[in-house]
Amino acid sequence: MVMGPGRLSQSLLLRCRRVLAVLDAARCRGGQLSARPLSAAAGLRAPQRPPGRSEPPRAGGGGPWDGAASAGGDGEEEEEDEEEAELEELLGPSPLAVEPGVQRVVVVHPAVKWGPKKSPFTTAELQIAEAIALVDTLQTWTVLDKIIIPTKNPDKKLIFGKGNFQVLTEKIKKLPQVTAVFLNVERISSLTKKELEDAWGVKVFDRYTVVLHIFRCNARTKEAKLQIALAEIPLLRSNLKNEVSQLDQQRGGSRYIMGSGETFMEIQYRILKEKELKIRNALEKLRRKRSLLRTQRKKREFPIISVMGYTNCGKTTLIKALTGEAGIQPRDQLFATLDITAHAGYLPSRMAVIYVDTIGFLTDLPHNLVESFSATLEEVVYSDLIVHVRDITHPETILQKATVLSVLKNLNLPSHLLDSMVEVHNKVDLIERYKPTEENALAISALHGQGLEELKEEIEKKVLTATAKKILTVNVNLEGPQLSWLYKEATVQEVEVMPEEGTARVKVIIGNSAFGKYKNLFPNSKIYMP
């Protein structure tokens, strides 16, 4: 007897889908299958322990970062298996995924000479250099040639005027090894894409497709993969519209399907809508879990510091330098970080803080991609402080700063977060005798440790203001209740016992409200302000 698909167990289906997911991941490695690295997005790693600290914040079980405890049970396991199977289905091989293997690419940049489409803050040479950097991020892609072609209106059907389009076509066809053209525009329609591919005889990718492919290759967690799947929905809709248009011309694609009362286009749109709804629901579940972890961190009163900046500006290198966490491995490539990762560190007063590494920004990042990753970026809203890292050696550092600030403003952050932001000028070791011209900006080299102590002091000052905390030392009687009260209501940093006097000097970090209570409860206690 042949067993039908309806008889297969959930676990077998799940295994099949996982195999397909691994095969799909191989696309990003040129067809080579390898083990997928585990994500660190939800993990909080312990920093090096400073002197005087008995135990650092921990990432694992039993520490302050623990999530909600889950009870066992067959019913819950079955439900989790079903959820896992549905997630695996949503994250299955994408119809938009770029085919595996080597791509030899010609990068073409339409240079707008005048009008509203021309960017006043950059040049065509710098824009094509960033496009080449995107291609270089992909291991199996190489750039054969770069071409800058002027255009009056990049929104035209074929992007360029007739004469320039003919010149460009001849140049591309003279390169026999070329397999693809990367057209450095945000989005091209499926119709334009088809006409260009017919004219040039190779695949054509726009900026949206290339960035999405890089995201797909770098995504490690389910959340990042779900956000990529969500970003694909507009492209799938656009492609569907073009396909249905062709069907209408060929054999009446608008006809009803098998008496269902729906046309082919209506059925496909409904399937896409259902998929989008499932992805958003799955993201919402992950968001709720993250909210629970955030609540637990708040109860422990660990300040959250979001480290942000343009892609490849050195955010991860800086966090490694601030925390001493050996496991962090910065990569010199665009969009190396796609997932929120959190890392524990200490400030000069030995106050424990959490540094959050975020996705990098990019000029002209397609709007749908920004919107899809809003679930990741929303973590910034709950920060106590933002550190904005800039690669001060980059020729477009001013434009990059404007890009980051524009995205941050669109996140509807509280005004105090924007006002208190710490601006860091990184990679100053590459510029002789560099001094920041911006007021309050700090010059550092995350790689060599230059300026890090000053940065930590500035972060501490801003964090104490943002969290309404102060650092002070109090003299307590060891026979009284002061010490246990301080352990309960404040963060005890140091205890210096003086046994002959039966007292102790206790260094604490304490909030304004708890400090007021302490003075009321223990009016005779000696308090030493720093």
Side-chain angles (χ1 to χ4, degrees):
M1 182 179 72
V2 178
M3 182 182 290
R7 299 282 298 278
L8 287 173
S9 67
Q10 282 286 348
S11 60
L12 182 56
L13 281 171
L14 187 56
R15 288 179 188 175
C16 293
R17 285 167 179 152
R18 282 175 177 159
V19 170
L20 285 171
V22 173
L23 290 171
D24 187 46
R27 295 173 184 270
C28 303
R29 295 184 288 271
Q32 299 297 316
L33 292 178
S34 62
R36 290 180 290 179
L38 293 174
S39 167
L44 299 170
R45 306 170 181 82
Q48 291 180 343
R49 188 179 305 175
R53 180 82 181 190
S54 60
E55 184 181 358
R58 290 183 293 155
W65 319 114
D66 287 352
S70 57
D74 294 339
E76 287 187 8
E77 287 180 5
E78 287 178 11
E79 187 177 334
E80 286 176 5
D81 283 347
E82 287 177 8
E83 286 184 5
E84 186 74 17
E86 187 171 294
L87 268 180
E88 292 291 346
E89 186 176 350
L90 290 173
L91 300 176
S94 167
L96 296 176
V98 177
E99 292 179 4
V102 173
Q103 292 285 2
R104 294 178 292 275
V105 184
V106 174
V107 180
V108 176
H109 178 72
V112 182
K113 294 299 184 182
W114 58 81
K117 293 287 182 179
K118 177 176 172 56
S119 174
F121 302 110
T122 187
T123 64
E125 288 73 20
L126 290 173
Q127 287 176 301
I128 201 169
E130 184 169 89
I132 291 168
L134 286 170
V135 174
D136 289 342
T137 297
L138 296 162
Q139 292 180 2
T140 59
W141 290 32
T142 53
V143 176
L144 283 185
D145 200 2
K146 59 179 183 179
I147 303 171
I148 298 174
I149 297 282
T151 182
K152 293 180 181 178
N153 182 10
D155 293 331
K156 290 173 66 173
K157 185 177 179 182
L158 294 178
I159 313 295
F160 307 97
K162 188 175 180 181
N164 282 339
F165 183 75
Q166 186 62 38
V167 170
L168 177 59
T169 301
E170 290 172 3
K171 284 186 177 182
I172 292 170
K173 290 193 171 181
K174 284 179 182 176
L175 297 167
Q177 293 183 323
V178 65
T179 62
V181 171
F182 173 20
L183 196 58
N184 193 30
V185 296
E186 181 177 323
R187 283 273 297 272
I188 55 175
S189 70
S190 53
L191 183 61
T192 296
K193 175 180 167 68
K194 184 179 183 307
E195 294 209 15
L196 292 177
E197 288 178 345
D198 289 345
W200 297 336
V202 294
K203 289 285 185 183
V204 176
F205 304 121
D206 55 22
R207 197 174 175 90
Y208 195 103
T209 307
V210 171
V211 172
L212 198 60
H213 184 51
I214 294 170
F215 279 16
R216 195 180 289 113
C217 290
N218 287 349
R220 296 292 177 264
T221 64
K222 287 175 185 174
E223 185 167 30
K225 292 173 183 178
L226 282 168
Q227 289 174 124
I228 290 166
L230 184 62
E232 288 179 341
I233 297 293
L235 280 179
L236 291 169
R237 283 202 182 99
S238 176
N239 291 350
L240 174 61
K241 187 175 181 180
N242 185 49
E243 288 169 10
V244 169
S245 176
Q246 290 179 341
L247 280 174
D248 282 343
Q249 293 174 5
Q250 295 170 11
R251 54 183 177 81
S254 61
R255 292 177 182 171
Y256 293 102
I257 305 297
M258 298 181 66
S260 66
E262 290 181 293
T263 64
F264 172 78
M265 184 173 184
E266 287 170 344
I267 289 174
Q268 296 304 311
Y269 270 123
R270 176 170 55 78
I271 291 171
L272 271 181
K273 186 68 179 174
E274 289 171 357
K275 181 177 181 179
E276 181 180 3
L277 187 60
K278 287 178 181 178
I279 293 171
R280 291 188 184 278
N281 287 339
L283 282 170
E284 182 58 34
K285 286 181 182 177
L286 291 172
R287 187 183 287 115
R288 286 198 295 268
K289 288 180 183 177
R290 200 169 58 241
S291 178
L292 177 62
L293 291 172
R294 189 188 305 124
T295 302
Q296 291 172 339
R297 291 201 301 262
K298 286 293 183 184
K299 284 180 181 177
R300 297 280 180 171
E301 295 190 336
F302 293 113
I304 311 297
I305 300 160
S306 287
V307 181
M308 311 195 75
Y310 205 82
T311 185
N312 210 30
C313 68
K315 300 185 303 297
T316 306
T317 303
L318 176 58
I319 290 176
K320 181 174 184 176
L322 290 171
T323 63
E325 188 179 320
I328 301 176
Q329 297 298 327
R331 288 179 287 164
D332 183 18
Q333 65 178 57
L334 304 185
F335 299 115
T337 301
L338 277 191
D339 304 294
I340 283 280
T341 57
H343 311 267
Y346 293 100
L347 297 178
S349 66
R350 293 197 287 274
M351 183 197 308
V353 295
I354 305 300
Y355 291 101
V356 175
D357 195 0
T358 60
I359 182 175
F361 298 99
L362 187 72
T363 305
D364 297 328
L365 191 64
H367 174 73
N368 286 327
L369 279 179
V370 176
E371 186 178 313
S372 298
F373 276 79
S374 61
T376 296
L377 293 173
E378 78 167 5
E379 194 73 16
V380 181
V381 177
Y382 301 97
S383 306
D384 296 296
L385 182 68
I386 294 173
V387 174
H388 175 198
V389 184
R390 291 175 58 188
D391 176 0
I392 209 64
T393 67
H394 197 282
E396 289 193 295
T397 184
I398 294 173
L399 175 61
Q400 291 181 353
K401 175 181 177 178
T403 298
V404 173
L405 294 181
S406 173
V407 174
L408 289 177
K409 286 175 183 175
N410 289 335
L411 289 175
N412 296 318
L413 297 176
S415 58
H416 69 84
L417 263 183
L418 293 172
D419 295 339
S420 64
M421 185 160 44
V422 177
E423 183 173 318
V424 173
H425 293 184
N426 191 24
K427 307 185 184 181
V428 297
D429 54 297
L430 301 176
I431 303 177
E432 190 175 352
R433 296 178 183 174
Y434 176 79
K435 287 186 178 180
T437 54
E438 285 93 337
E439 189 179 359
N440 299 323
L442 298 174
I444 70 156
S445 168
L447 189 61
H448 298 288
Q450 180 181 338
L452 291 188
E453 292 309 312
E454 293 87 343
L455 174 59
K456 286 181 181 179
E457 289 171 5
E458 180 68 13
I459 289 173
E460 180 169 275
K461 184 174 73 174
K462 293 284 183 76
V463 163
L464 289 172
T465 302
T467 57
K469 294 179 185 293
K470 50 174 62 73
I471 301 171
L472 49 86
T473 303
V474 296
N475 204 60
V476 303
N477 187 336
L478 290 174
E479 294 181 355
Q482 292 104 312
L483 187 57
S484 61
W485 190 95
L486 287 170
Y487 268 109
K488 182 180 178 183
E489 301 293 338
T491 303
V492 175
Q493 299 290 294
E494 290 177 359
V495 179
E496 182 186 352
V497 178
M498 292 169 283
E500 67 281 357
E501 299 176 11
T503 62
R505 285 197 169 196
V506 184
K507 184 179 179 182
V508 296
I509 300 172
I510 191 167
N512 285 338
S513 131
F515 184 47
K517 290 178 184 176
Y518 181 83
K519 288 193 293 184
N520 288 333
L521 288 170
F522 312 108
N524 297 323
S525 178
K526 290 183 180 178
I527 299 170
Y528 306 92
M529 305 294 287

